[in-house]
Amino acid sequence: MSACRPRSATAWKDATRTAGGNSPKTSCSPCSTSSANASVQKAASLHTLERYRTRIEWFDREELYTRFKANLATGEEVYNLDLQRFLFLEGDHVTHAKPRSASGEADLIGDLDGRDPLVCDGKIFDGSSRGKGYLVKGLHQIVKYAHDYGQHTAYLVIYNITDKLLELPTDGTPGAWPPYTEISGVRVYFIHVRVLPPTTTASKAGKATRVTLTRDDLTNPDTT
């Protein structure tokens, strides 16, 4: 296996598609190899997290929400443990729950023994005590964790347990998935997962309430 080849079959296919159908080049200088590997790993991680979002929203909302409601005190862990299992089974990431670092305990850090740890944090959004301010604090926490592990990319998974439409800011192309923001040299991707089971069809649900998280909210957490 060349130094530039992704470590998973999915990542290899994604990289091949990105390259226009041709196999990625395998002759690389050390700098280009590192950059290519980081790019491929990011693409593979995003692909895995997109599959996770789809799995929850399409198939597992009811089961996980029932477990969440039965254990509200630590309900966030229900989703984070499920995410940890999925990352291992689907993304080949061996994750460590709440590893200690200089800034505290991140919910999930993957591949600690490798050169590029996966920095991922999961936060509940309930629209009240765990509302916009809670997400902003989570964002700044994950930036600190990324600094602790020498990473420039991190992933904030948002478990939306409300029927509200959560609108997230992006420093990228408007409407493109996933939205992301760059703070203090770290690009944080927002993975928004609707985890509340639907109680009616979309056509009968009526107009949903929107909650908008702005760029100003992110840069001024004390005012959120």
Side-chain angles (χ1 to χ4, degrees):
M1 181 181 293
S2 76
C4 287
R5 180 169 179 167
R7 61 182 182 168
S8 70
T10 298
W12 175 251
K13 291 177 182 177
D14 287 347
T16 301
R17 285 197 295 268
T18 301
N22 297 317
S23 298
K25 294 180 180 180
T26 57
S27 177
C28 311
S29 68
C31 290
S32 62
T33 296
S34 177
S35 178
N37 284 346
S39 179
V40 166
Q41 182 178 15
K42 180 175 68 177
S45 297
L46 286 173
H47 178 76
T48 300
L49 289 168
E50 183 178 24
R51 282 175 51 81
Y52 179 72
R53 180 195 65 168
T54 302
R55 195 209 85 190
I56 297 300
E57 294 186 352
W58 287 16
F59 304 109
D60 293 337
R61 285 201 218 189
E62 287 80 4
E63 177 189 348
L64 287 171
Y65 189 70
T66 297
R67 287 161 52 191
F68 166 77
K69 292 291 286 185
N71 196 10
L72 289 176
T74 57
E76 195 169 79
E77 292 306 299
V78 169
Y79 291 104
N80 280 330
L81 288 174
D82 183 71
L83 173 59
Q84 184 179 21
R85 181 175 184 271
F86 188 87
L87 287 173
F88 173 70
L89 293 176
E90 299 293 329
D92 197 28
H93 293 289
V94 180
T95 58
H96 302 261
K98 296 191 179 299
R100 293 291 305 177
S101 72
S103 298
E105 296 178 342
D107 286 336
L108 294 172
I109 300 292
D111 307 317
L112 283 176
D113 297 331
R115 292 184 178 180
D116 295 303
L118 173 71
V119 181
C120 184
D121 221 0
K123 297 297 180 185
I124 288 286
F125 173 78
D126 64 7
S128 56
S129 61
R130 295 183 179 184
K132 293 199 298 182
Y134 185 67
L135 297 183
V136 171
K137 289 179 181 178
L139 170 69
H140 286 267
Q141 285 174 354
I142 203 171
V143 168
K144 291 178 181 178
Y145 298 144
H147 288 164
D148 290 344
Y149 290 98
Q151 297 303 299
H152 298 286
T153 303
Y155 308 88
L156 182 62
V157 181
I158 301 170
Y159 309 113
N160 186 353
I161 63 170
T162 77
D163 59 359
K164 297 178 174 64
L165 294 178
L166 183 59
E167 296 184 340
L168 299 162
T170 186
D171 291 336
T173 303
W177 189 91
Y180 67 84
T181 189
E182 295 187 352
I183 296 179
S184 301
V186 178
R187 176 176 291 190
V188 181
Y189 289 95
F190 299 114
I191 311 299
H192 176 221
V193 187
R194 297 170 299 167
V195 299
L196 181 70
T199 57
T200 185
T201 61
S203 61
K204 297 179 180 179
K207 187 176 181 180
T209 301
R210 294 179 181 272
V211 176
T212 302
L213 192 65
T214 67
R215 189 70 168 80
D216 187 59
D217 291 333
L218 302 183
T219 55
N220 299 284
D222 293 336
T223 63
T224 304

